[in-house]
Every structure is written in structure tokens, then in C-alpha cells.
Amino acid sequence: MRLEAITWERLTDALAERLTATTPKDGSSWLRVAVDGAPAAAPGDLAGRLAEALRVRGRAVHRAGTFGFLRPASLRLEHGREDPDAFHDEWFDRQALWREVFQPLDPGGTGRVLPDLWDPVTDRATRSAYVTLPPGGILLLHGPFLLGHWFPFDLSVHLTLSPAALARRTPEGERWTLPAFARYEAETRPEEAADVVVRADDPRRPAWSGPV
């Protein structure tokens, strides 16, 4: 895949312009966007920049992170605290994401989505209030392992890191997750599945695959 150098500002503007010209694929009243990537690639940062750019353009935005939809510790840590396969398969409550985030944004849905579900610190439900995203609004879901689950994204952006960059930028206490990301690359092939690929090995000098 050929990638072109770009700044974060130009990348954000290009994605925002693309989304303002995009129509939901299934006739929904809302756009659903994935910003997929390992924590070391900071997908939440790009989602934040994109949210601001879209709001400037007059679009309502709901930004949500998958780490707000963890499963309870008794389930995600059943095989220990540092099991990479469990991290890949069991940590994130994808059924809750379908139920609380995607189904309300289906055609004819209410637009009433849950910002988050589970607090990993207290290991209890967050009890956050529902948020109503008005018709024409855009969901920005950011986090790892978003692709390959049939989530109805209208646009998917994958932030990729080389294995060396991923290892270098992952904190020592989280490096046990590296095999999970290697598995994701091998099984899901996110660089092929995503609409837009952004390489962020050098966080100051990203490169991307170009407009959709």
C-alpha cells in the first residue's frame, strides 16, 4: 500500500470533508465511523480532532471509546490479567456496543445511545445517562479491534504502527498485549479492511492512504 505524507490538520480536514459529503449506507439518519487502532497509536486523539472539525461544520457528534465498554473483570480476566488472547477476544463487550450504541442508530432508531457501560477501576456499571444524537449526527467510535465484527460503519479509519513502533510506544506494563495486536493484523488484516489507513510510526509525521 502506497502512503502519502500528511499533517494531522490536513488529515482531519480531509476526513471531515469526506464525512460531510457521505450518506449512511443503509438509509440510517446517522453516520457511524470507526477510528481503529492500538492505544499506542492514540485513536482517541484523532477522534477528538475529528469531532471538533465536524462540529465546526455544524454536525452533531457523539464520541465513544471501546474501553468504556469493557466486560466485568470476572469475565475478561478469567484466564489471568495478562492473557493476550483474552484481551483480543473477551475484554470488550461487543454485544453491549451493538445493543447500546449501534441499534439506536439503525434506520428508524431513536438515536439514544449510551456513552459508556463499565468502569474498569471500580468494576461496576458507570450508570451514565443516555445521550440523544440528533438525525444527521455522527458517531465516532475509537479503540482497538473494531474491524471484523460486522459493525455497520459508514467509514473506517485504521491507525497502524510497525511492530517496532508499537513495541516502543506501548508502556512496559502493557507489552503483554502485543501478541493480541499481531493476531489482529494476521487474522483481520485491518489495513485491507479499513477505508482509510494512517501510519503513525512517527506521531509528528503521519502518512495516509489518501481519500476514499
Side-chain angles (χ1 to χ4, degrees):
M1 179 183 296
R2 182 175 179 177
L3 301 177
E4 302 174 0
I6 194 169
T7 64
W8 288 113
E9 291 77 12
R10 287 173 50 219
L11 171 65
T12 302
D13 284 342
L15 291 174
E17 288 297 321
R18 178 69 181 88
L19 286 168
T20 57
T22 297
T23 303
K25 297 175 182 177
D26 59 2
S28 171
S29 298
W30 302 272
L31 286 173
R32 294 138 299 187
V33 180
V35 184
D36 176 64
D45 289 354
L46 177 56
R49 293 187 186 100
L50 187 53
E52 289 304 313
L54 288 166
R55 289 182 181 121
V56 167
R57 289 164 172 80
R59 301 298 291 269
V61 177
H62 176 66
R63 183 163 66 101
T66 54
F67 278 95
F69 287 85
L70 292 174
R71 302 175 77 204
S74 60
L75 298 175
R76 70 178 187 273
L77 305 180
E78 183 178 2
H79 302 288
R81 293 184 175 275
E82 298 186 357
D83 186 297
D85 286 326
F87 179 59
H88 182 281
D89 295 336
E90 305 292 342
W91 273 47
F92 300 99
D93 194 338
R94 297 181 179 97
Q95 290 185 348
L97 282 169
W98 274 108
R99 182 181 68 249
E100 304 291 357
V101 177
F102 287 104
Q103 287 183 0
L105 304 182
D106 281 344
T110 64
R112 188 169 176 265
V113 298
L114 192 64
D116 49 50
L117 179 67
W118 203 257
D119 185 335
V121 176
T122 63
D123 198 35
R124 294 183 178 180
T126 57
R127 302 188 183 279
S128 295
Y130 283 88
V131 173
T132 299
L133 186 62
I138 300 175
L139 166 72
L140 298 177
L141 182 64
H142 60 87
F145 313 135
L146 288 178
L147 305 180
H149 302 290
W150 300 100
F151 289 145
F153 293 119
D154 298 293
L155 183 74
S156 55
V157 181
H158 173 63
L159 291 168
T160 185
L161 296 171
S162 67
L166 177 61
R168 183 174 63 252
R169 291 169 57 184
T170 299
E172 181 69 34
E174 298 174 14
R175 288 185 181 172
W176 61 270
T177 64
L178 296 178
F181 293 111
R183 180 182 162 194
Y184 183 59
E185 291 289 333
E187 294 182 2
T188 304
R189 305 179 72 87
E191 291 189 23
E192 297 176 13
D195 297 308
V196 177
V197 175
V198 180
R199 182 168 291 278
D201 285 3
D202 183 339
R204 299 164 300 177
R205 299 180 179 86
W208 77 320
S209 56
V212 182

